[in-house]
Amino acid sequence: MDDKEKYEMEFVIQASPSLIYQYISTPSGLSEWFADNVNSRGELFTFIWDGSEEQAKLLSKKSGERIKFRWLSDDEDGAAYYFEIRIQVDEITKDVSLMITDFAEEDEIDEGKMLWENQISSLKQVLGSR
């Protein structure tokens, strides 16, 4: 398997960090924008899109700040890949950004970024943000 490369993205979101955190850290919140349905059993989250399922393990979370997952398919390969959604608030302007860290194979990075742009666009719609 090819090595995946890390990439990061930033999205400015006009919503309170506590509200955003509900949407990135709970199965019901994630179901609103990230997948068609999300279930969790402890640290195991099941994401469902159009009948296909992907499972991810919750690696860490910090209340109100970030959540980090690893897809089980990456876990089985013994790879250290993950995806993290982090809320960042600018100290001075109080602007709220969502920082995405993810991994993809070199020829799939643009596709991965496009997917995140679509997902975050859905999240903004749910939040009523521009």
Side-chain angles (χ1 to χ4, degrees):
M1 188 174 120
D2 292 339
D3 284 339
K4 293 183 180 181
E5 291 185 20
K6 180 179 183 177
Y7 65 93
E8 295 180 321
M9 302 177 75
E10 178 177 355
F11 299 92
V12 175
I13 295 194
Q14 292 167 338
S16 76
S18 58
L19 181 62
I20 295 169
Y21 187 74
Q22 292 302 311
Y23 281 97
I24 67 170
S25 65
T26 63
S28 60
L30 287 161
S31 296
E32 296 270 338
W33 66 278
F34 189 76
D36 297 336
N37 197 5
V38 181
N39 301 309
S40 72
R41 218 178 269 129
E43 294 181 344
L44 192 65
F45 280 64
T46 304
F47 297 88
I48 301 160
W49 294 273
D50 295 327
S52 73
E53 284 187 14
E54 285 282 337
Q55 290 191 312
K57 183 178 175 183
L58 175 65
L59 297 179
S60 65
K61 72 178 184 181
K62 186 169 183 184
S63 188
E65 199 174 297
R66 63 182 162 76
I67 188 152
K68 185 189 281 190
F69 291 102
R70 175 174 298 137
W71 294 114
L72 286 193
S73 55
D74 286 335
D75 209 25
E76 290 161 7
D77 297 336
Y81 305 125
Y82 62 88
F83 68 97
E84 181 179 62
I85 306 170
R86 194 172 79 246
I87 301 165
Q88 185 170 295
V89 181
D90 185 288
E91 296 286 320
I92 298 160
T93 64
K94 300 296 179 210
D95 286 345
V96 179
S97 293
L98 214 49
M99 308 299 289
I100 305 294
T101 303
D102 202 354
F103 291 81
E105 290 178 21
E106 193 177 349
D107 61 345
E108 294 177 354
I109 288 178
D110 288 344
E111 192 179 315
K113 286 183 175 181
M114 221 161 54
L115 187 65
W116 276 112
E117 284 169 7
N118 290 336
Q119 302 294 70
I120 300 301
S121 175
S122 298
L123 175 61
K124 286 180 175 183
Q125 282 184 317
V126 169
L127 290 167
S129 171
R130 283 179 266 138

